[in-house]
Amino acid sequence: MGGRGARRDEGRSREGAVRMVRRSRSRKLQKLTGLCRREEGLRVKRSCPSCGPSEPGGEEKKGRGNPVSVQLFPPELVEHIISFLPVRDVVALGQTCHYFHQVCDAESMWRRICHRLSPRLREQGSGVRPWKRAAILNYTKGLYFQAFGGRRRCLSKSVAPQLAHGYRRFLPTKDHVFILDYAGTLFFLKNALVSSTLGQIQWKRACRYIVLCRGAKDFASDPRCDTVYRKYLYVLATREQPGVVGTTSSRACDCVEVYLQSSGQRVFKMTFHHSMSFKQIVLVGQETQRALLLLTEEGKIYSLVVNETQLDQPRSYTVQLALRKVSRCLPHLRVACMASNQSSTLYITAFDPLDQQMPLALSLPAKILFCALGYNHLGLVDEFGRIFMQGNNRYGQLGTGDKMDRGEPTQVHYLQRPIALWCGLNHSLVLSQGSDFSKELLGCGCGAGGRLPGWPKGSASFVKLHIKVPLCACSLCSTRECLYMLSSHDIEHHPAYRDLPASKAVGTPEPSLGAGAPQDPGGVAWACEEYLSQIHNCPTLQDRMEKMKEIVGWMPLMAAQKDFFWEALDMLQRAAGGAGQGPPPPES
């Protein structure tokens, strides 16, 4: 009987507790109902906040009350709310109306987003829009890879270092991957054994990371396509060195630090004089005679030779830094960037093609923006987005549709305006963008080992590979085992391609039956008539001078010829003094 009474009392206490919870909920609901009645008619307009009432005359329907504009809220509150949206949604919201465009484009709001994405980033970056640039860099950063072998052939993403300020460059080595961010921090992404969700131990690529060093400018390793040879990593960095003895001052000096790619241990360091500042490093040659090429800010190239087989020996010695032959013979030459393989080096610079002292100058009709150098072939991209290939074509790696070697740069006509170009051992890759901003990966050459996904037999022309490309992919690299793609979007890195002039865009007309050679090859006469028509339409002499300068830039002239015409036009324009008026319009 005692047990039954206890159970009856316990049941009553439960019922009492349930009734108390119900009363509390009822009171809260009554308060909320009263509040809604007092604030009856509260509405937020769905149209543009800067516009007027949505209905004519400002009369609202009965029972709806007066609408409340978003503009009535404090701007700080609106920015705080929007800052929690994904970056993609913030950009889309800024395209809805003028008010939201101003709010979503404010640097203060992008600063909030940047601190949410990268809490440890305290300093704003460089550029016109530093916080917006930093936020988008950190939102779009990513390293994707797809293994050629194994059962699962899908695109995977590596670990994303929280400390990284966007991704600027990456380099896969024998066992790991190294990434350089925009703040000069070099990250060491390790391959390791991890446990899967099913409790199985598996080998995973780039799943852990550490900070290798800070203050890095550039880095390089063995230039051969096979990552087995990449034993050491050479890092060009800036370090603070103590000043004169007896003083507390210090000054920044550039140095080259050598790390073991397997463990990240530093084994060698060489420091340069503080008066020399470098911006790029590439390697050439074998392990015993490894040549380091260093490009200065002034466009000069210096070199030094080290023996990699002795780097792991703890000793100190002096290396000689010498001016490279191309900079010694042509002191006026300014090199913009370099590319190298095991035995060759490619320089991109603005030089006079008529200068006979330039070693192995390639004859090209336009300025080169970037290049790629493979084992025995190379690719060039000019300012108009045209792709030129040269070298060995045994496997069709030039993409010309045949397997004939090319001793001169040959244009690949069906490809234009690439985002990135990569040349490997016996195949080539091109990253391109469609009209809808979607990315696709094209490849040609040898397809053995799965290096051209979807084309195991290879192709002598560039074909679309069966691989999903990230939306913000900007560079790529392929090894024997894996294909890597780096994702990062820099809002200040606009496409540098120019529109092709009419003289180059018009193709050579096909000769008709019974006709001889074409009278106007390439449409040169038609282009000149079009240029004259544009000059005649300019109202003043100054406008005609400016139009003529623009036309000179379009014409297929040598660099020295363009400089001559531009300088001559400047002299004539200064002599005119801006007072000359254009002649009367020509008679019909």
Side-chain angles (χ1 to χ4, degrees):
M1 293 295 293
R4 293 180 181 178
R7 285 194 295 270
R8 190 180 300 112
D9 294 340
E10 182 179 356
R12 290 177 181 175
S13 61
R14 288 181 180 177
E15 292 177 359
V18 170
R19 285 196 296 269
M20 291 179 62
V21 171
R22 289 178 178 175
R23 290 196 202 99
S24 176
R25 291 180 178 177
S26 178
R27 294 192 190 98
K28 291 181 179 179
L29 182 61
Q30 290 177 0
K31 291 181 180 180
L32 182 61
T33 305
L35 179 62
C36 293
R37 288 173 180 173
R38 287 192 299 270
E39 302 292 337
E40 183 178 3
L42 181 63
R43 295 290 186 271
V44 178
K45 292 193 294 183
R46 301 179 63 183
S47 60
C48 176
S50 59
C51 302
S54 59
E55 298 184 9
E59 296 180 359
E60 303 294 334
K61 293 184 179 181
K62 295 182 180 180
R64 291 192 177 183
N66 298 324
V68 177
S69 173
V70 180
Q71 290 180 321
L72 298 179
F73 294 98
E76 295 80 6
L77 178 60
V78 178
E79 291 181 0
H80 180 73
I81 296 174
I82 296 178
S83 65
F84 287 95
L85 295 176
V87 175
R88 183 192 297 267
D89 296 338
V90 173
V91 175
L93 181 63
Q95 299 175 351
T96 56
C97 66
H98 179 68
Y99 173 76
F100 281 122
H101 175 73
Q102 290 182 336
V103 174
C104 295
D105 201 47
E107 276 291 284
S108 56
M109 201 238 4
W110 285 106
R111 182 178 181 179
R112 295 173 183 265
I113 296 177
C114 190
H115 286 169
R116 176 172 58 86
L117 295 175
S118 302
R120 300 187 180 185
L121 183 64
R122 298 303 178 188
E123 297 181 0
Q124 61 181 359
S126 60
V128 181
R129 304 294 308 278
W131 288 114
K132 183 176 182 180
R133 177 173 180 260
I136 294 180
L137 280 175
N138 289 279
Y139 177 75
T140 58
K141 68 181 180 182
L143 179 63
Y144 300 84
F145 59 90
Q146 178 171 325
F148 295 141
R151 297 180 179 179
R152 296 185 60 187
R153 297 188 180 182
C154 59
L155 198 66
S156 304
K157 187 176 182 181
S158 69
V159 61
Q162 295 295 330
L163 299 175
H165 179 39
Y167 291 162
R168 185 157 62 102
R169 270 202 61 201
F170 80 103
L171 178 68
T173 59
K174 179 181 177 181
D175 303 315
H176 310 289
V177 181
F178 296 86
I179 293 182
L180 179 64
D181 71 350
Y182 283 84
T185 305
L186 187 60
F187 293 90
F188 182 18
L189 274 61
K190 294 184 176 182
N191 303 337
L193 291 171
V194 296
S195 59
S196 63
T197 55
L198 301 178
Q200 300 176 350
I201 302 298
Q202 60 181 1
W203 181 259
K204 192 172 182 180
R205 296 178 181 271
C207 60
R208 298 175 182 175
Y209 74 92
I210 61 173
V211 176
L212 186 67
C213 66
R214 302 182 187 274
K217 292 184 175 182
D218 194 17
F219 63 101
S221 186
D222 192 291
R224 283 172 283 190
C225 301
D226 196 344
T227 57
V228 175
Y229 299 104
R230 298 174 183 174
K231 181 180 178 181
Y232 294 100
L233 187 75
Y234 294 77
V235 180
L236 176 63
T238 302
R239 297 286 181 261
E240 291 291 334
Q241 298 294 333
V244 183
V245 179
T247 63
T248 59
S249 61
S250 61
R251 51 192 176 188
C253 297
D254 284 357
C255 64
V256 172
E257 299 175 343
V258 185
Y259 295 85
L260 276 172
Q261 69 86 28
S262 57
S263 61
Q265 178 186 0
R266 194 181 76 181
V267 296
F268 187 73
K269 179 181 179 181
M270 59 188 84
T271 305
F272 306 106
H273 193 265
H274 65 86
S275 62
M276 305 190 69
S277 178
F278 303 99
K279 65 177 183 179
Q280 187 185 3
I281 178 174
V282 297
L283 306 183
V284 186
Q286 300 286 345
E287 290 87 344
T288 56
Q289 289 289 325
R290 182 75 73 195
L292 279 66
L293 305 185
L294 299 167
L295 178 62
T296 66
E297 298 290 348
E298 295 78 18
K300 303 298 181 181
I301 301 176
Y302 290 84
S303 65
L304 57 91
V305 179
V306 296
N307 188 352
E308 280 191 357
T309 60
Q310 300 178 357
L311 289 179
D312 54 353
Q313 300 177 7
R315 66 189 185 92
S316 176
Y317 61 92
T318 303
V319 294
Q320 184 178 4
L321 189 66
L323 193 64
R324 197 70 171 177
K325 182 178 180 181
V326 64
S327 297
R328 187 174 64 253
C329 297
L330 300 175
H332 63 280
L333 185 66
R334 180 182 177 88
V335 178
C337 64
M338 304 179 294
S340 68
N341 60 13
Q342 182 180 354
S343 58
S344 305
T345 307
L346 185 64
Y347 307 109
I348 294 183
T349 178
F351 65 93
D352 184 3
L354 300 178
D355 194 340
Q356 300 299 324
Q357 291 184 346
M358 184 63 187
L360 297 178
L362 301 178
S363 58
L364 290 167
K367 176 184 176 182
I368 298 300
L369 296 184
F370 59 93
C371 65
L373 191 58
Y375 176 69
N376 50 17
H377 72 289
L378 59 91
L380 306 167
V381 180
D382 69 355
E383 57 184 336
F384 302 113
R386 299 176 297 182
I387 300 178
F388 296 87
M389 306 294 290
Q390 177 181 345
N392 185 280
N393 199 21
R394 179 180 179 183
Y395 298 93
Q397 59 262 42
L398 300 184
T400 54
D402 53 39
K403 295 185 179 181
M404 298 175 57
D405 297 347
R406 298 297 197 276
E408 295 290 336
T410 303
Q411 182 180 355
V412 183
H413 293 278
Y414 56 91
L415 285 182
Q416 290 182 351
R417 298 176 178 259
I419 298 176
L421 173 65
W422 184 85
C423 296
L425 180 65
N426 47 29
H427 71 293
S428 305
L429 301 175
V430 168
L431 181 63
S432 64
Q433 178 174 280
S435 57
D436 57 347
F437 299 101
S438 61
K439 305 289 179 62
E440 61 182 12
L441 188 61
L442 308 174
C444 66
C446 180
R451 64 190 68 183
L452 297 181
W455 303 86
K457 296 183 179 181
S459 173
S461 301
F462 281 97
V463 291
K464 184 177 180 181
L465 305 183
H466 297 177
I467 185 172
K468 185 179 179 181
V469 182
L471 181 62
C472 297
C474 61
S475 63
L476 69 157
C477 176
S478 179
T479 65
R480 180 182 295 179
E481 304 87 8
C482 198
L483 173 67
Y484 296 90
M485 286 182 288
L486 187 71
S487 173
S488 182
H489 180 68
D490 190 353
I491 61 175
E492 295 185 359
H493 181 68
H494 302 289
Y497 295 128
R498 298 169 50 196
D499 293 332
L500 195 64
S503 60
K504 299 181 181 180
V506 178
T508 303
E510 295 291 338
S512 58
L513 294 176
Q519 298 297 323
D520 185 19
V524 177
W526 176 87
C528 292
E529 292 177 1
E530 180 66 22
Y531 293 155
L532 287 175
S533 176
Q534 295 179 12
I535 294 175
H536 279 304
N537 292 333
C538 296
T540 63
L541 177 62
Q542 294 297 326
D543 293 340
R544 294 187 177 186
M545 289 286 189
E546 295 296 331
K547 175 58 68 175
M548 187 60 194
K549 292 180 184 178
E550 184 179 358
I551 291 174
V552 168
W554 292 343
M555 299 181 72
L557 302 174
M558 301 289 187
Q561 294 172 335
K562 289 184 179 181
D563 293 338
F564 166 77
F565 282 114
W566 283 333
E567 186 65 24
L569 288 172
D570 284 335
M571 292 173 60
L572 294 175
Q573 194 170 10
R574 288 193 297 268
Q581 297 295 328
E587 297 179 357
S588 59

